[in-house]
Protein backbone atom coordinates (compact mmCIF):
# COMPACT_ATOMS: atom_id res chain seq x y z
CA UNK A 1 0.00 0.00 0.00
CA UNK A 2 1.24 3.50 -0.78
CA UNK A 3 -0.02 7.08 -1.12
CA UNK A 4 0.72 9.56 -3.91
CA UNK A 5 1.15 13.32 -3.74
CA UNK A 6 -2.62 13.82 -4.28
CA UNK A 7 -3.33 11.76 -1.14
CA UNK A 8 -4.77 8.81 -3.09
CA UNK A 9 -4.18 5.38 -1.55
CA UNK A 10 -3.18 2.34 -3.63
CA UNK A 11 -3.71 -1.32 -2.65
CA UNK A 12 -2.42 -4.35 -4.58
CA UNK A 13 -4.54 -7.54 -4.87
CA UNK A 14 -7.26 -6.36 -2.44
CA UNK A 15 -10.07 -8.57 -1.15
CA UNK A 16 -13.38 -6.89 -0.24
CA UNK A 17 -16.46 -8.36 1.39
CA UNK A 18 -19.44 -6.95 3.29
CA UNK A 19 -20.27 -10.38 4.72
CA UNK A 20 -19.71 -11.28 8.40
CA UNK A 21 -16.33 -12.76 9.37
CA UNK A 22 -15.78 -16.22 7.83
CA UNK A 23 -18.83 -15.67 5.64
CA UNK A 24 -17.73 -15.39 2.01
CA UNK A 25 -21.13 -15.50 0.30
CA UNK A 26 -20.16 -12.50 -1.82
CA UNK A 27 -16.73 -10.93 -2.22
CA UNK A 28 -14.68 -8.97 -4.73
CA UNK A 29 -11.07 -9.62 -5.75
CA UNK A 30 -9.17 -7.05 -7.78
CA UNK A 31 -5.73 -6.42 -9.22
CA UNK A 32 -5.58 -2.94 -7.67
CA UNK A 33 -7.76 -0.68 -5.51
CA UNK A 34 -7.43 3.11 -5.41
CA UNK A 35 -9.07 5.11 -2.64
CA UNK A 36 -9.51 8.81 -3.39
CA UNK A 37 -10.72 10.63 -0.24
CA UNK A 38 -10.93 13.94 -2.09
CA UNK A 39 -13.66 12.55 -4.38
CA UNK A 40 -15.03 10.03 -1.84
CA UNK A 41 -14.62 7.21 -4.35
CA UNK A 42 -13.02 3.76 -4.55
CA UNK A 43 -11.74 2.49 -7.90
CA UNK A 44 -11.16 -1.22 -8.58
CA UNK A 45 -9.06 -2.36 -11.52
CA UNK A 46 -9.64 -5.87 -12.96
CA UNK A 47 -12.28 -6.78 -10.33
CA UNK A 48 -13.95 -10.19 -10.12
CA UNK A 49 -17.16 -10.76 -8.17
CA UNK A 50 -17.00 -14.07 -6.29
CA UNK A 51 -19.74 -16.27 -4.83
CA UNK A 52 -18.43 -18.85 -2.35
CA UNK A 53 -14.96 -18.53 -3.87
CA UNK A 54 -16.34 -19.11 -7.38
CA UNK A 55 -16.02 -16.31 -9.97
CA UNK A 56 -19.36 -14.92 -11.18
CA UNK A 57 -18.45 -11.93 -13.33
CA UNK A 58 -15.30 -9.97 -14.15
CA UNK A 59 -14.73 -6.46 -15.44
CA UNK A 60 -11.86 -4.16 -16.34
CA UNK A 61 -13.01 -1.33 -14.08
CA UNK A 62 -15.42 -0.76 -11.21
CA UNK A 63 -15.93 2.14 -8.82
CA UNK A 64 -18.24 3.05 -5.94
CA UNK A 65 -18.78 5.98 -3.61
CA UNK A 66 -17.77 5.99 0.07
CA UNK A 67 -19.97 8.99 0.87
CA UNK A 68 -23.35 10.01 -0.52
CA UNK A 69 -25.01 8.23 -3.45
CA UNK A 70 -23.65 7.26 -6.85
CA UNK A 71 -25.06 5.33 -9.79
CA UNK A 72 -23.57 1.87 -10.20
CA UNK A 73 -23.98 -1.86 -9.70
CA UNK A 74 -25.24 -3.21 -6.38
CA UNK A 75 -24.28 -6.56 -4.91
CA UNK A 76 -25.82 -9.53 -6.78
CA UNK A 77 -28.88 -11.30 -5.40
CA UNK A 78 -28.80 -15.10 -5.33
CA UNK A 79 -31.73 -17.30 -4.28
CA UNK A 80 -33.82 -20.33 -5.19
CA UNK A 81 -37.40 -21.61 -5.18
CA UNK A 82 -38.62 -25.14 -5.99
CA UNK A 83 -40.61 -23.93 -9.01
CA UNK A 84 -38.29 -21.24 -10.41
CA UNK A 85 -34.94 -22.90 -9.73
CA UNK A 86 -31.84 -20.85 -9.00
CA UNK A 87 -32.40 -17.09 -9.14
CA UNK A 88 -29.62 -14.66 -10.02
CA UNK A 89 -30.08 -10.91 -10.28
CA UNK A 90 -27.46 -8.18 -10.82
CA UNK A 91 -29.14 -4.87 -9.91
CA UNK A 92 -27.99 -1.45 -11.11
CA UNK A 93 -28.67 1.68 -9.06
CA UNK A 94 -29.58 4.95 -10.82
CA UNK A 95 -29.14 8.10 -8.74
CA UNK A 96 -31.65 10.10 -10.80
CA UNK A 97 -31.86 13.13 -8.51
CA UNK A 98 -31.50 14.06 -4.87
CA UNK A 99 -35.17 13.12 -4.32
CA UNK A 100 -35.49 10.17 -6.72
CA UNK A 101 -33.68 6.91 -7.43
CA UNK A 102 -34.27 3.71 -9.37
CA UNK A 103 -32.97 0.15 -9.13
CA UNK A 104 -33.15 -2.13 -12.19
CA UNK A 105 -32.13 -5.75 -11.86
CA UNK A 106 -32.00 -8.15 -14.82
CA UNK A 107 -32.93 -11.54 -13.37
CA UNK A 108 -32.50 -15.13 -14.53
CA UNK A 109 -34.60 -18.10 -13.33
CA UNK A 110 -32.96 -21.35 -14.38
CA UNK A 111 -36.25 -23.30 -14.56
CA UNK A 112 -38.51 -20.57 -15.89
CA UNK A 113 -36.85 -17.81 -17.90
CA UNK A 114 -35.70 -14.25 -17.44
CA UNK A 115 -37.00 -10.81 -16.69
CA UNK A 116 -36.35 -7.66 -14.70
CA UNK A 117 -36.95 -6.35 -11.19
CA UNK A 118 -37.30 -2.62 -10.53
CA UNK A 119 -37.91 -0.27 -7.61
CA UNK A 120 -38.52 3.47 -8.02
CA UNK A 121 -38.49 5.78 -4.99
CA UNK A 122 -39.44 9.46 -5.01
CA UNK A 123 -39.93 12.31 -2.57
CA UNK A 124 -41.44 15.76 -3.14
CA UNK A 125 -42.82 18.44 -0.87
CA UNK A 126 -46.29 16.85 -1.01
CA UNK A 127 -45.69 13.21 -1.97
CA UNK A 128 -43.48 10.27 -1.12
CA UNK A 129 -43.81 6.88 -2.70
CA UNK A 130 -42.37 3.65 -3.99
CA UNK A 131 -43.21 1.70 -7.14
CA UNK A 132 -42.02 -1.91 -7.38
CA UNK A 133 -42.35 -4.06 -10.50
CA UNK A 134 -41.29 -7.59 -11.33
CA UNK A 135 -41.78 -8.80 -14.88
CA UNK A 136 -40.56 -11.86 -16.73
CA UNK A 137 -41.22 -14.14 -19.65
CA UNK A 138 -42.02 -17.61 -18.38
CA UNK A 139 -40.48 -20.13 -20.80
CA UNK A 140 -42.36 -22.94 -19.09
CA UNK A 141 -45.84 -21.48 -19.58
CA UNK A 142 -44.97 -19.42 -22.69
CA UNK A 143 -46.48 -16.29 -21.18
CA UNK A 144 -45.61 -12.96 -19.59
CA UNK A 145 -45.96 -12.75 -15.82
CA UNK A 146 -45.64 -9.87 -13.40
CA UNK A 147 -46.08 -8.45 -9.90
CA UNK A 148 -46.74 -4.74 -9.22
CA UNK A 149 -46.91 -2.83 -5.95
CA UNK A 150 -47.32 0.97 -5.63
CA UNK A 151 -47.58 2.90 -2.39
CA UNK A 152 -47.79 6.67 -1.94
CA UNK A 153 -48.29 9.06 0.96
CA UNK A 154 -49.52 12.56 0.12
CA UNK A 155 -49.74 15.50 2.52
CA UNK A 156 -51.99 18.31 1.31
CA UNK A 157 -52.24 21.59 3.17
CA UNK A 158 -51.43 21.23 6.86
CA UNK A 159 -53.90 18.65 8.11
CA UNK A 160 -55.09 16.55 5.14
CA UNK A 161 -53.37 13.33 4.03
CA UNK A 162 -54.05 10.62 1.44
CA UNK A 163 -52.45 7.17 1.41
CA UNK A 164 -52.70 4.83 -1.58
CA UNK A 165 -51.55 1.23 -1.96
CA UNK A 166 -52.09 -0.60 -5.25
CA UNK A 167 -51.13 -4.19 -6.03
CA UNK A 168 -51.63 -6.27 -9.15
CA UNK A 169 -50.52 -9.70 -10.37
CA UNK A 170 -50.63 -11.65 -13.59
CA UNK A 171 -52.00 -14.88 -12.07
CA UNK A 172 -52.71 -16.61 -8.76
CA UNK A 173 -49.65 -18.90 -8.95
CA UNK A 174 -47.11 -16.10 -9.24
CA UNK A 175 -46.14 -16.24 -5.54
CA UNK A 176 -45.77 -20.02 -5.58
CA UNK A 177 -43.55 -19.96 -8.66
CA UNK A 178 -41.39 -16.92 -7.95
CA UNK A 179 -41.71 -16.13 -4.26
CA UNK A 180 -42.69 -12.90 -2.49
CA UNK A 181 -40.51 -10.65 -4.64
CA UNK A 182 -42.24 -7.46 -3.46
CA UNK A 183 -42.02 -8.34 0.24
CA UNK A 184 -45.75 -8.02 0.84
CA UNK A 185 -47.00 -8.48 4.39
CA UNK A 186 -49.70 -10.96 3.30
CA UNK A 187 -49.36 -12.94 0.07
CA UNK A 188 -52.63 -14.82 0.72
CA UNK A 189 -54.72 -11.63 0.75
CA UNK A 190 -52.85 -8.89 -1.16
CA UNK A 191 -54.63 -5.61 -0.54
CA UNK A 192 -55.50 -2.49 -2.52
CA UNK A 193 -56.55 0.49 -0.44
CA UNK A 194 -56.97 4.25 -0.39
CA UNK A 195 -57.28 6.18 2.87
CA UNK A 196 -57.87 9.89 3.45
CA UNK A 197 -57.60 11.73 6.78
CA UNK A 198 -58.45 15.26 7.87
CA UNK A 199 -57.02 16.24 11.25
CA UNK A 200 -58.26 19.57 12.60
CA UNK A 201 -57.49 20.51 16.19
CA UNK A 202 -60.80 19.16 17.51
CA UNK A 203 -60.64 15.64 16.06
CA UNK A 204 -59.93 13.44 13.04
CA UNK A 205 -62.09 12.41 10.09
CA UNK A 206 -61.07 9.32 8.11
CA UNK A 207 -62.53 7.57 5.06
CA UNK A 208 -61.22 4.70 3.00
CA UNK A 209 -61.74 1.85 0.58
CA UNK A 210 -60.05 -1.52 1.14
CA UNK A 211 -60.14 -4.30 -1.47
CA UNK A 212 -58.56 -7.72 -1.00
CA UNK A 213 -57.33 -10.14 -3.67
CA UNK A 214 -58.91 -13.44 -2.68
CA UNK A 215 -57.93 -15.57 -5.68
CA UNK A 216 -55.00 -17.04 -3.71
CA UNK A 217 -57.18 -18.78 -1.09
CA UNK A 218 -60.25 -20.98 -0.83
CA UNK A 219 -63.61 -19.22 -0.72
CA UNK A 220 -64.06 -19.91 3.01
CA UNK A 221 -60.75 -18.12 3.78
CA UNK A 222 -61.49 -14.99 1.77
CA UNK A 223 -61.66 -11.53 3.36
CA UNK A 224 -64.54 -9.18 2.37
CA UNK A 225 -63.89 -5.72 0.95
CA UNK A 226 -64.77 -2.77 3.17
CA UNK A 227 -65.65 0.91 2.73
CA UNK A 228 -65.50 2.96 5.93
CA UNK A 229 -65.99 6.41 7.44
CA UNK A 230 -64.63 7.22 10.90
CA UNK A 231 -64.75 10.24 13.22
CA UNK A 232 -62.58 10.43 16.32
CA UNK A 233 -63.13 13.56 18.46
CA UNK A 234 -60.27 14.89 20.54
CA UNK A 235 -60.01 13.41 24.02
CA UNK A 236 -61.85 15.19 26.80
CA UNK A 237 -60.17 15.53 30.17
CA UNK A 238 -62.63 15.15 33.03
CA UNK A 239 -61.03 16.08 36.26
CA UNK A 240 -57.41 15.46 37.04
CA UNK A 241 -57.04 11.75 36.33
CA UNK A 242 -60.00 10.97 34.06
CA UNK A 243 -59.79 11.03 30.27
CA UNK A 244 -62.82 10.47 28.01
CA UNK A 245 -62.30 9.22 24.44
CA UNK A 246 -64.78 8.14 21.81
CA UNK A 247 -64.95 7.04 18.17
CA UNK A 248 -67.79 6.86 15.67
CA UNK A 249 -67.46 4.55 12.67
CA UNK A 250 -69.55 3.25 9.82
CA UNK A 251 -68.31 0.38 7.62
CA UNK A 252 -69.86 -1.49 4.73
CA UNK A 253 -68.52 -4.98 3.96
CA UNK A 254 -69.16 -6.45 0.53
CA UNK A 255 -67.98 -9.32 -1.66
CA UNK A 256 -68.55 -11.71 1.22
CA UNK A 257 -67.98 -15.28 0.05
CA UNK A 258 -71.01 -17.63 -0.01
CA UNK A 259 -69.37 -19.82 2.65
CA UNK A 260 -69.29 -16.86 5.07
CA UNK A 261 -72.55 -15.06 4.23
CA UNK A 262 -74.87 -16.62 6.79
CA UNK A 263 -78.00 -14.47 7.09
CA UNK A 264 -76.34 -11.31 5.83
CA UNK A 265 -76.01 -12.02 2.10
CA UNK A 266 -73.05 -10.68 0.15
CA UNK A 267 -73.03 -7.27 1.91
CA UNK A 268 -73.42 -6.05 5.48
CA UNK A 269 -73.41 -2.69 7.29
CA UNK A 270 -71.64 -2.09 10.57
CA UNK A 271 -71.91 1.08 12.68
Amino acid sequence: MWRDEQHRYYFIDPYLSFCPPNGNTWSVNAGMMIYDPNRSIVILKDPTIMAYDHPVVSAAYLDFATKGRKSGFLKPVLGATPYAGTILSIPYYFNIASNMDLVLGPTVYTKRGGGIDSKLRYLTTAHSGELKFKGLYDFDQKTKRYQVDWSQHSHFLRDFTVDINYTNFSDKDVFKDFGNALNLNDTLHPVERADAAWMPQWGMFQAGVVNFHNSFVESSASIPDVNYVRFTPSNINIGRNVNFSQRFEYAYFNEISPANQGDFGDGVDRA
Side-chain angles (χ1 to χ4, degrees), residues 78-92:
L78 181 65
T81 70
Y83 299 95
T86 302
I87 305 170
L88 175 63
S89 177
I90 303 179
Y92 190 89

Side-chain angles (χ1 to χ4, degrees), residues 206-242:
Q206 295 171 283
V209 178
V210 185
N211 297 323
F212 292 92
H213 291 273
N214 289 307
S215 57
F216 301 94
V217 296
E218 298 294 333
S219 175
S220 59
S222 65
I223 299 178
D225 299 335
V226 58
N227 305 328
Y228 74 91
V229 178
R230 182 183 303 136
F231 172 55
T232 307
S234 299
N235 292 344
I236 301 174
N237 295 321
I238 305 175
R240 186 173 182 178
N241 299 313
V242 179

Side-chain angles (χ1 to χ4, degrees), residues 74-144:
L74 303 177
K75 67 177 181 179
V77 177
L78 181 65
T81 70
Y83 299 95
T86 302
I87 305 170
L88 175 63
S89 177
I90 303 179
Y92 190 89
Y93 174 80
F94 293 89
N95 185 26
I96 301 174
S98 59
N99 64 333
M100 182 181 298
D101 58 21
L102 171 67
V103 176
L104 289 179
T107 306
V108 175
Y109 301 83
T110 56
K111 290 185 179 180
R112 290 300 183 121
I116 193 166
D117 295 353
S118 68
K119 181 169 71 172
L120 172 69
R121 301 185 301 177
Y122 55 92
L123 174 67
T124 68
T125 54
H127 311 284
S128 62
E130 186 176 82
L131 174 63
K132 294 182 286 187
F133 172 79
K134 181 183 190 68
L136 57 100
Y137 183 76
D138 189 338
F139 293 156
D140 184 65
Q141 296 188 9
K142 307 297 183 183
T143 186
K144 299 175 182 178

Side-chain angles (χ1 to χ4, degrees), residues 187-209:
T187 57
L188 295 178
H189 309 94
V191 63
E192 297 175 352
R193 65 183 303 158
D195 303 273
W198 177 43
M199 296 166 284
Q201 295 182 352
W202 39 268
M204 178 170 62
F205 285 97
Q206 295 171 283
V209 178

Side-chain angles (χ1 to χ4, degrees), residues 15 17 19-20 22-29 48-56 77-79 86:
Y15 170 87
S17 177
C19 299
N22 300 321
N24 60 340
T25 306
W26 291 108
S27 61
V28 178
N29 296 336
T48 300
I49 298 176
M50 311 288 290
Y52 295 105
D53 297 326
H54 299 287
V56 176
V77 177
L78 181 65
T86 302

